[in-house]
Amino acid sequence: MSGVLVVLEQRGGAWNSMSFEALEAGMQLAAKLGTECSAAVVGDGVQSLQWTTAAKPKAVYAVEHALLKDYTSDGFTTALEQLIRKLDPAFVLFPHTYQVRDFAPALATRFKQVLISDVIAIHEGPVFVRQLLQGKLNADYRQTSSGPCFVSVQAGSFRAEAADASAIAMEGFAPELDAAKIRNKPGERFRESAQTVDLTAAPVIVSVGRGIGEQDNIGIVEELATALGAELAASRPICDNGWLPMERQVGSSGQTVSPKLYLAVGISGAIQHLVGMKGSKTVIAINKDENAPIFEVADYGVVGDLFEIVPALTKAVQAAKS
Amino acid sequence: MKIVVAIKQVPERDAQIRVAADGKWIEEDDLNYTINEPDAYALEEALQLKEKNGTGEVIVVCAGPERVQTTLREALAKGADRAIHIEADDLGSRDTLGVAQILADAVKAESPDLILTGLQSDDLGLGQTGVVLAELLGIPHATIIMQVETTGAGLKVKRELEDGWFQHVEMPLPALLTIQSGGNKLRYATLMGIKKAKTKELKTVGAAAATASPAIALERVYLPEKQKKTEMLTGSPDQVAAQIVEKLKFEVRVI
């Protein structure tokens, strides 16, 4: 058992860019361990994919089968189980995508292993760092058993260097799959409705989180957004409660934004939210909890009562503009 | 339809977290505990499915020390029919596979049509107990589910994908789903529900001793290091507002 295998993700012939971040993590891990890094991609007709990242793994395996055209947990788990048994890697890395979250724990279980999920850093050991308690703490995890160590890598934790598209020689791997054993029947992907709010292009965003307490209080944040000429956005719980429409959600399940200014009001900063706003140029955070993880990524922080600070700020912005 | 909902008790979100002296977990003594929020959505989905179908049973199951019984009682007060407490004081030394195994042992005896759980826990957030449980039981699963419909042959569920995309997936029963927040509105327990809960069955079963040593270990917990040098702005609300406006004018240049 040796080497690092990184399972890349594609859909319909397009790479999921998080794949190459996971590949970068895999290359770095392999270099630290003095071993080699390989990659695999699962699907149907994936051998013609163009390589668009600078990293050059030792080998890239195209795990291909007609039954792998559409993602199913049963199909992907069985196919990758066969590849991993053949290659016998010491580490298997994945991007922490929704698809990986669906099948990788089952795949690890087949090897009597546990997936170390949404890893944000890899230290000597190797020690895998991930967050606990909505980002309030970091934790070091280490594999304690033999057998492949399964790890998924959180978005934005490793930087992949892009390269011009070039052909890559892939080694084919044909798994044995039985249509009768694929129990889920996936439908077409769809969006609920045409999105009318494009937060991705907004230069200024004022975003509100759980700290606002109740729906009636959102007005004070809205007034600040209006004063700044900003788009109003929110973290997931606000949209879950129906206080703002889902299309105003920033985060891994919402929109990914990169404004000049991201003003986070009452947002603690769980990793799912940080993933969506990490491209912001300047982050200002207002939160009553001085240990809130949002302060780890903020340029300017205010610890205090948003119900006092936000109205004062709105007034000051209005005065400055007039 | 017989539905088992696997729930977890976790520290309340607002809890002030302190690292324990040995640096391996958090100080638990003065923490308040509550139901893991995604699991609350799983329970809500189960209760609504039962109400829609007009028949069936909702059983909540939770592993942990004695204190988890308060969370099970809350679930009973919201409308679950009965509860199973898997008594285990050593959850911290079991990995996901170990925890999923004791859940599988308890669930197998019930042979439910459907198992629901939240997509991840608010404390560890590994997001895999449900999937591992399905794998151990040999049943199909789907994760991050917003809606569940029963069909003649099984289920049709709506999965959330990234960036606002969704997908329907059809699957046979028995099956396991991990539920995403926001698909439903959570209900509160009524006074009548709280009264009724006292008379409902809460069975305690012992967890089998861990048979295998854990595959992974949590070695150390600690406060995250700051990625950025955050400049903290202090003073009265008006003073803070004035400082922010200065930054917005001269540094960020959005005013």
mmCIF file of all heavy atoms in Angstrom, chain B residues 61-87:
data_model
loop_
_atom_site.group_PDB
_atom_site.id
_atom_site.type_symbol
_atom_site.label_atom_id
_atom_site.label_comp_id
_atom_site.label_asym_id
_atom_site.label_seq_id
_atom_site.Cartn_x
_atom_site.Cartn_y
_atom_site.Cartn_z
ATOM 1 N N VAL B 61 -34.325 7.683 17.587
ATOM 2 C CA VAL B 61 -33.263 6.924 18.233
ATOM 3 C C VAL B 61 -32.057 7.843 18.412
ATOM 4 O O VAL B 61 -31.739 8.657 17.542
ATOM 5 C CB VAL B 61 -32.932 5.640 17.421
ATOM 6 C CG1 VAL B 61 -32.713 5.945 15.967
ATOM 7 C CG2 VAL B 61 -31.729 4.912 17.984
ATOM 8 N N CYS B 62 -31.444 7.724 19.583
ATOM 9 C CA CYS B 62 -30.302 8.590 19.886
ATOM 10 C C CYS B 62 -29.311 7.813 20.748
ATOM 11 O O CYS B 62 -29.703 7.164 21.713
ATOM 12 C CB CYS B 62 -30.784 9.837 20.619
ATOM 13 S SG CYS B 62 -29.468 11.020 20.994
ATOM 14 N N ALA B 63 -28.044 7.896 20.381
ATOM 15 C CA ALA B 63 -26.997 7.260 21.180
ATOM 16 C C ALA B 63 -26.312 8.318 22.026
ATOM 17 O O ALA B 63 -26.120 9.447 21.577
ATOM 18 C CB ALA B 63 -25.985 6.580 20.264
ATOM 19 N N GLY B 64 -25.951 7.935 23.239
ATOM 20 C CA GLY B 64 -25.250 8.884 24.101
ATOM 21 C C GLY B 64 -25.491 8.593 25.559
ATOM 22 O O GLY B 64 -26.162 7.612 25.900
ATOM 23 N N PRO B 65 -24.964 9.462 26.430
ATOM 24 C CA PRO B 65 -25.170 9.269 27.863
ATOM 25 C C PRO B 65 -26.608 9.589 28.261
ATOM 26 O O PRO B 65 -27.417 9.995 27.413
ATOM 27 C CB PRO B 65 -24.180 10.254 28.494
ATOM 28 C CG PRO B 65 -23.973 11.298 27.454
ATOM 29 C CD PRO B 65 -24.120 10.605 26.137
ATOM 30 N N GLU B 66 -26.891 9.494 29.552
ATOM 31 C CA GLU B 66 -28.272 9.627 30.034
ATOM 32 C C GLU B 66 -28.906 10.956 29.622
ATOM 33 O O GLU B 66 -30.104 11.028 29.355
ATOM 34 C CB GLU B 66 -28.280 9.468 31.554
ATOM 35 C CG GLU B 66 -29.642 9.082 32.077
ATOM 36 C CD GLU B 66 -29.665 8.993 33.595
ATOM 37 O OE1 GLU B 66 -28.576 8.960 34.203
ATOM 38 O OE2 GLU B 66 -30.780 8.979 34.141
ATOM 39 N N ARG B 67 -28.083 12.005 29.543
ATOM 40 C CA ARG B 67 -28.652 13.327 29.239
ATOM 41 C C ARG B 67 -29.384 13.389 27.908
ATOM 42 O O ARG B 67 -30.211 14.265 27.697
ATOM 43 C CB ARG B 67 -27.573 14.406 29.300
ATOM 44 C CG ARG B 67 -26.480 14.274 28.271
ATOM 45 C CD ARG B 67 -25.576 15.509 28.228
ATOM 46 N NE ARG B 67 -24.227 15.234 27.816
ATOM 47 C CZ ARG B 67 -23.840 15.004 26.564
ATOM 48 N NH1 ARG B 67 -24.736 15.022 25.578
ATOM 49 N NH2 ARG B 67 -22.574 14.756 26.289
ATOM 50 N N VAL B 68 -29.098 12.479 26.979
ATOM 51 C CA VAL B 68 -29.761 12.553 25.668
ATOM 52 C C VAL B 68 -31.256 12.261 25.774
ATOM 53 O O VAL B 68 -32.022 12.550 24.859
ATOM 54 C CB VAL B 68 -29.115 11.631 24.592
ATOM 55 C CG1 VAL B 68 -27.621 11.895 24.484
ATOM 56 C CG2 VAL B 68 -29.406 10.168 24.826
ATOM 57 N N GLN B 69 -31.668 11.696 26.930
ATOM 58 C CA GLN B 69 -33.102 11.401 27.094
ATOM 59 C C GLN B 69 -33.943 12.676 27.057
ATOM 60 O O GLN B 69 -35.097 12.629 26.640
ATOM 61 C CB GLN B 69 -33.322 10.639 28.400
ATOM 62 C CG GLN B 69 -32.760 9.220 28.329
ATOM 63 C CD GLN B 69 -33.278 8.316 29.425
ATOM 64 O OE1 GLN B 69 -34.110 8.710 30.232
ATOM 65 N NE2 GLN B 69 -32.785 7.084 29.440
ATOM 66 N N THR B 70 -33.379 13.805 27.466
ATOM 67 C CA THR B 70 -34.161 15.051 27.404
ATOM 68 C C THR B 70 -34.456 15.407 25.948
ATOM 69 O O THR B 70 -35.542 15.876 25.619
ATOM 70 C CB THR B 70 -33.417 16.232 28.069
ATOM 71 O OG1 THR B 70 -32.146 16.383 27.425
ATOM 72 C CG2 THR B 70 -33.205 16.000 29.548
ATOM 73 N N THR B 71 -33.491 15.164 25.070
ATOM 74 C CA THR B 71 -33.694 15.443 23.642
ATOM 75 C C THR B 71 -34.715 14.461 23.055
ATOM 76 O O THR B 71 -35.559 14.839 22.238
ATOM 77 C CB THR B 71 -32.347 15.371 22.910
ATOM 78 O OG1 THR B 71 -31.533 16.453 23.380
ATOM 79 C CG2 THR B 71 -32.505 15.492 21.411
ATOM 80 N N LEU B 72 -34.645 13.213 23.490
ATOM 81 C CA LEU B 72 -35.626 12.226 23.016
ATOM 82 C C LEU B 72 -37.040 12.607 23.487
ATOM 83 O O LEU B 72 -38.004 12.495 22.727
ATOM 84 C CB LEU B 72 -35.250 10.823 23.511
ATOM 85 C CG LEU B 72 -34.078 10.177 22.770
ATOM 86 C CD1 LEU B 72 -33.589 8.926 23.492
ATOM 87 C CD2 LEU B 72 -34.468 9.817 21.331
ATOM 88 N N ARG B 73 -37.148 13.074 24.728
ATOM 89 C CA ARG B 73 -38.464 13.503 25.249
ATOM 90 C C ARG B 73 -39.000 14.687 24.430
ATOM 91 O O ARG B 73 -40.194 14.769 24.161
ATOM 92 C CB ARG B 73 -38.359 13.931 26.717
ATOM 93 C CG ARG B 73 -38.258 12.790 27.701
ATOM 94 C CD ARG B 73 -39.623 12.205 28.074
ATOM 95 N NE ARG B 73 -39.426 11.026 28.892
ATOM 96 C CZ ARG B 73 -40.107 9.894 28.768
ATOM 97 N NH1 ARG B 73 -41.073 9.791 27.865
ATOM 98 N NH2 ARG B 73 -39.848 8.861 29.535
ATOM 99 N N GLU B 74 -38.107 15.588 24.048
ATOM 100 C CA GLU B 74 -38.543 16.720 23.213
ATOM 101 C C GLU B 74 -39.096 16.225 21.887
ATOM 102 O O GLU B 74 -40.103 16.729 21.394
ATOM 103 C CB GLU B 74 -37.344 17.621 22.899
ATOM 104 C CG GLU B 74 -37.236 18.843 23.779
ATOM 105 C CD GLU B 74 -35.932 19.566 23.503
ATOM 106 O OE1 GLU B 74 -35.705 19.971 22.346
ATOM 107 O OE2 GLU B 74 -35.115 19.675 24.445
ATOM 108 N N ALA B 75 -38.425 15.230 21.310
ATOM 109 C CA ALA B 75 -38.889 14.677 20.028
ATOM 110 C C ALA B 75 -40.248 14.005 20.216
ATOM 111 O O ALA B 75 -41.126 14.111 19.353
ATOM 112 C CB ALA B 75 -37.859 13.684 19.486
ATOM 113 N N LEU B 76 -40.433 13.347 21.351
ATOM 114 C CA LEU B 76 -41.734 12.724 21.637
ATOM 115 C C LEU B 76 -42.798 13.802 21.800
ATOM 116 O O LEU B 76 -43.927 13.653 21.331
ATOM 117 C CB LEU B 76 -41.643 11.872 22.912
ATOM 118 C CG LEU B 76 -40.784 10.602 22.827
ATOM 119 C CD1 LEU B 76 -40.639 9.960 24.211
ATOM 120 C CD2 LEU B 76 -41.374 9.592 21.838
ATOM 121 N N ALA B 77 -42.422 14.915 22.438
ATOM 122 C CA ALA B 77 -43.377 16.007 22.647
ATOM 123 C C ALA B 77 -43.785 16.632 21.317
ATOM 124 O O ALA B 77 -44.899 17.120 21.157
ATOM 125 C CB ALA B 77 -42.766 17.055 23.568
ATOM 126 N N LYS B 78 -42.879 16.613 20.340
ATOM 127 C CA LYS B 78 -43.217 17.175 19.023
ATOM 128 C C LYS B 78 -44.100 16.224 18.220
ATOM 129 O O LYS B 78 -44.674 16.620 17.215
ATOM 130 C CB LYS B 78 -41.944 17.455 18.230
ATOM 131 C CG LYS B 78 -41.226 18.707 18.700
ATOM 132 C CD LYS B 78 -40.100 19.040 17.756
ATOM 133 C CE LYS B 78 -39.412 20.324 18.182
ATOM 134 N NZ LYS B 78 -38.426 20.748 17.188
ATOM 135 N N GLY B 79 -44.146 14.948 18.623
ATOM 136 C CA GLY B 79 -45.057 14.037 17.928
ATOM 137 C C GLY B 79 -44.503 12.676 17.574
ATOM 138 O O GLY B 79 -45.228 11.853 17.005
ATOM 139 N N ALA B 80 -43.234 12.404 17.877
ATOM 140 C CA ALA B 80 -42.722 11.052 17.628
ATOM 141 C C ALA B 80 -43.499 10.075 18.506
ATOM 142 O O ALA B 80 -43.977 10.444 19.586
ATOM 143 C CB ALA B 80 -41.241 10.990 17.947
ATOM 144 N N ASP B 81 -43.653 8.835 18.025
ATOM 145 C CA ASP B 81 -44.483 7.873 18.740
ATOM 146 C C ASP B 81 -43.735 7.192 19.875
ATOM 147 O O ASP B 81 -44.305 6.918 20.922
ATOM 148 C CB ASP B 81 -45.001 6.820 17.753
ATOM 149 C CG ASP B 81 -45.910 7.452 16.717
ATOM 150 O OD1 ASP B 81 -47.022 7.845 17.082
ATOM 151 O OD2 ASP B 81 -45.476 7.590 15.553
ATOM 152 N N ARG B 82 -42.492 6.842 19.637
ATOM 153 C CA ARG B 82 -41.691 6.273 20.721
ATOM 154 C C ARG B 82 -40.220 6.546 20.482
ATOM 155 O O ARG B 82 -39.833 7.035 19.415
ATOM 156 C CB ARG B 82 -41.974 4.776 20.914
ATOM 157 C CG ARG B 82 -41.775 3.912 19.704
ATOM 158 C CD ARG B 82 -42.346 2.498 19.974
ATOM 159 N NE ARG B 82 -42.358 1.746 18.753
ATOM 160 C CZ ARG B 82 -41.350 0.980 18.332
ATOM 161 N NH1 ARG B 82 -40.238 0.872 19.065
ATOM 162 N NH2 ARG B 82 -41.423 0.336 17.187
ATOM 163 N N ALA B 83 -39.424 6.236 21.511
ATOM 164 C CA ALA B 83 -38.011 6.607 21.447
ATOM 165 C C ALA B 83 -37.136 5.462 21.921
ATOM 166 O O ALA B 83 -37.549 4.660 22.767
ATOM 167 C CB ALA B 83 -37.760 7.835 22.311
ATOM 168 N N ILE B 84 -35.948 5.396 21.339
ATOM 169 C CA ILE B 84 -34.960 4.399 21.777
ATOM 170 C C ILE B 84 -33.688 5.145 22.149
ATOM 171 O O ILE B 84 -33.130 5.888 21.341
ATOM 172 C CB ILE B 84 -34.653 3.388 20.649
ATOM 173 C CG1 ILE B 84 -35.932 2.658 20.230
ATOM 174 C CG2 ILE B 84 -33.578 2.385 21.098
ATOM 175 C CD1 ILE B 84 -35.776 1.813 18.979
ATOM 176 N N HIS B 85 -33.267 4.951 23.372
ATOM 177 C CA HIS B 85 -32.003 5.532 23.826
ATOM 178 C C HIS B 85 -30.944 4.433 23.836
ATOM 179 O O HIS B 85 -31.078 3.446 24.549
ATOM 180 C CB HIS B 85 -32.191 6.120 25.235
ATOM 181 C CG HIS B 85 -30.909 6.514 25.888
ATOM 182 N ND1 HIS B 85 -30.718 6.505 27.244
ATOM 183 C CD2 HIS B 85 -29.723 6.921 25.356
ATOM 184 C CE1 HIS B 85 -29.487 6.883 27.531
ATOM 185 N NE2 HIS B 85 -28.863 7.133 26.411
ATOM 186 N N ILE B 86 -29.917 4.605 23.017
ATOM 187 C CA ILE B 86 -28.797 3.662 23.028
ATOM 188 C C ILE B 86 -27.789 4.201 24.028
ATOM 189 O O ILE B 86 -27.140 5.222 23.768
ATOM 190 C CB ILE B 86 -28.151 3.529 21.634
ATOM 191 C CG1 ILE B 86 -29.216 3.198 20.595
ATOM 192 C CG2 ILE B 86 -27.059 2.464 21.649
ATOM 193 C CD1 ILE B 86 -28.716 3.311 19.172
ATOM 194 N N GLU B 87 -27.715 3.556 25.157
ATOM 195 C CA GLU B 87 -26.877 4.084 26.236
ATOM 196 C C GLU B 87 -25.403 3.846 25.908
ATOM 197 O O GLU B 87 -24.962 2.706 25.779
ATOM 198 C CB GLU B 87 -27.242 3.406 27.542
ATOM 199 C CG GLU B 87 -26.867 4.252 28.725
ATOM 200 C CD GLU B 87 -27.550 3.768 29.997
ATOM 201 O OE1 GLU B 87 -27.974 2.592 30.057
ATOM 202 O OE2 GLU B 87 -27.633 4.580 30.931
#
